Amino acid sequence: MNPVLVEVTRGGITESRHRGSYCVVDKDAQVIRKAGDIDTPVFPRSSIKAIQALVMMESGAADAFGFSDEEIALACASHGGEVQHVGVAQSMLNKMGLTKELLKCGSHWPMNEAAGRHLAMEGETPNALHNNCSGKHSGFLAYLKHMKVNPVGYTEPDHPLQQAIRKALEEVCEVDLSDAPCGIDGCAIPTWAVPLKNQALGFSKFAAPDGRVSPERAVAMTRITQAIFNAPFMVAGTDRYCSRMMAAFPKKLFVKVGAEGVFAAFVPELGYGIAVKCDDGTYRGAEIILSALLVDLGVVSPADTEKAGVADLLEKPLLNRNGTVVGYARRAF
């Protein structure tokens, strides 16, 4: 059983507990910090969108269509469906001469509540552009059009696009996925299960790519990193952990959430790659685990988070309906 990493307190007692695991790998591919099970494969979900975007970057599609930093960042995003996000996704399609009907991610109400309310007040319903994965799927279409690959069935595991993504994931994370568990992600594409230590290894290469991947892949990784650092809002949005942390500490760290309590992160200055899994699948637990790790690794300090206005991401206050603090969710390791 994985250790308790986060405790939720109220009225002087521990009311709830979050168990989980984490792994930190350095630029020499060594595990330097870990907790819990880091060897059993877990679905990384959307935390690996930067790796999935490599096929677009390495193919030359992003340059061919003149994608901006915001557009490249959106290709790696789980965005909130805010006006800015929808506009950038539409811009990507416009540059390719394509329409939103080609996106096979499905639709849902914006993850950002204010954006959803605005959409409803306008008497509109969501479309594929509001899907948090619309940027990623637009990036997929860019690869398909540039490489002249038939887009029909592009979400299927045996489609050339998904096979290219699987190959990139295998190479970057140094894992054989031929017999790995494979599920279907929320946006309809396949998701292969990868051990946390391999996920952390993969993102340590984003932190320090030179000499560890091909020169072409190093360029693609660096370009993705720069785009995200220049446009962190595109990766998530208003009041979202990923955007808030990266905006609070500009160009210092990359963080990316995945469904079911998964996070990936890397720190270029230190060459660290990080992977986190909260067993119960909650964002609350996973965010605090990652924030505490960043403190322990010396990337940020509690004083830094206080000064940057993100202290609540390290120790989350629990509020009642009157806005009164009645407890906290905080680290337990």
Side-chain angles (χ1 to χ4, degrees):
M1 184 177 292
N2 285 325
V4 173
L5 300 179
V6 176
E7 292 181 338
V8 182
T9 61
R10 184 190 303 260
I13 68 169
T14 299
E15 184 176 33
S16 301
R17 299 170 179 84
H18 297 286
R19 295 181 180 273
S21 51
Y22 61 77
C23 183
V24 183
V25 172
D26 67 13
K27 61 185 177 181
D28 296 317
Q30 299 301 307
V31 175
I32 62 168
R33 195 179 293 262
K34 65 178 182 177
D37 182 0
I38 64 171
D39 297 306
T40 298
V42 298
F43 291 120
R45 306 295 296 274
S46 289
S47 70
I48 58 164
K49 283 182 176 176
I51 296 176
Q52 293 169 331
L54 284 173
V55 298
M56 174 190 72
M57 298 303 302
E58 292 173 352
S59 72
D63 289 331
F65 296 113
F67 286 166
S68 66
D69 283 347
E70 286 189 332
E71 289 163 340
I72 293 171
L74 196 77
C76 305
S78 297
H79 65 74
E82 297 174 73
V83 172
Q84 301 96 312
H85 300 126
V86 173
V88 171
Q90 183 64 67
S91 174
M92 295 173 75
L93 294 175
N94 290 345
K95 288 180 177 181
M96 294 182 278
L98 303 177
T99 66
K100 64 180 180 293
E101 285 71 28
L102 292 173
L103 298 172
K104 301 304 179 185
C105 51
S107 63
H108 60 72
W109 285 95
M111 295 172 69
N112 178 272
E113 183 178 351
R117 288 179 180 275
H118 176 76
L119 197 65
M121 288 175 63
E122 294 294 317
E124 299 181 18
T125 56
N127 58 55
L129 292 172
H130 297 96
N131 187 303
N132 74 97
C133 297
S134 64
K136 177 177 74 174
H137 279 252
S138 295
F140 290 166
L141 292 178
Y143 169 87
L144 295 169
K145 182 164 185 176
H146 182 65
M147 298 299 289
K148 297 180 173 58
V149 176
N150 189 340
V152 174
Y154 79 78
T155 61
E156 297 300 318
D158 59 353
H159 190 276
L161 167 66
Q162 299 305 330
Q163 287 300 302
I165 290 172
R166 194 187 88 168
K167 181 180 179 183
L169 185 59
E170 288 181 320
E171 292 173 351
V172 172
C173 295
E174 298 183 21
V175 60
D176 180 4
L177 299 176
S178 56
D179 294 317
C182 182
I184 303 299
D185 216 327
C187 67
I189 70 166
T191 176
W192 285 277
V194 179
L196 283 187
K197 67 180 180 182
N198 295 87
Q199 294 181 41
L201 171 64
F203 281 98
S204 75
K205 294 178 182 178
F206 269 85
D210 291 343
R212 303 178 65 196
V213 297
S214 70
E216 296 78 15
R217 179 155 289 169
V219 169
M221 287 179 165
T222 300
R223 179 81 181 281
I224 287 171
T225 301
Q226 291 174 343
I228 290 172
F229 283 173
N230 288 334
F233 179 82
M234 286 296 122
V235 177
T238 303
D239 292 331
R240 296 275 303 285
Y241 180 92
C242 300
S243 291
R244 288 185 65 195
M245 283 294 283
M246 289 191 286
F249 304 104
K251 303 186 179 183
K252 191 172 185 177
L253 58 99
F254 165 99
V255 294
K256 180 66 188 70
V257 70
E260 298 299 330
V262 178
F263 264 100
F266 62 84
V267 185
E269 184 178 6
L270 301 175
Y272 292 165
I274 305 169
V276 167
K277 169 66 176 176
C278 188
D279 287 355
D280 59 18
T282 61
Y283 294 132
R284 177 177 70 179
E287 289 172 1
I288 293 172
I289 295 168
L290 179 55
S291 297
L293 264 178
L294 293 171
V295 169
D296 290 350
L297 294 169
V299 181
V300 301
S301 71
D304 291 334
T305 63
E306 188 73 38
K307 183 177 180 181
V310 292
D312 60 304
L313 302 181
L314 179 62
E315 183 177 84
K316 187 176 182 64
L318 307 181
L319 308 178
N320 68 11
R321 299 302 182 187
N322 293 318
T324 304
V325 176
V326 295
Y328 290 92
R330 54 167 64 103
R331 66 180 298 167
F333 66 99

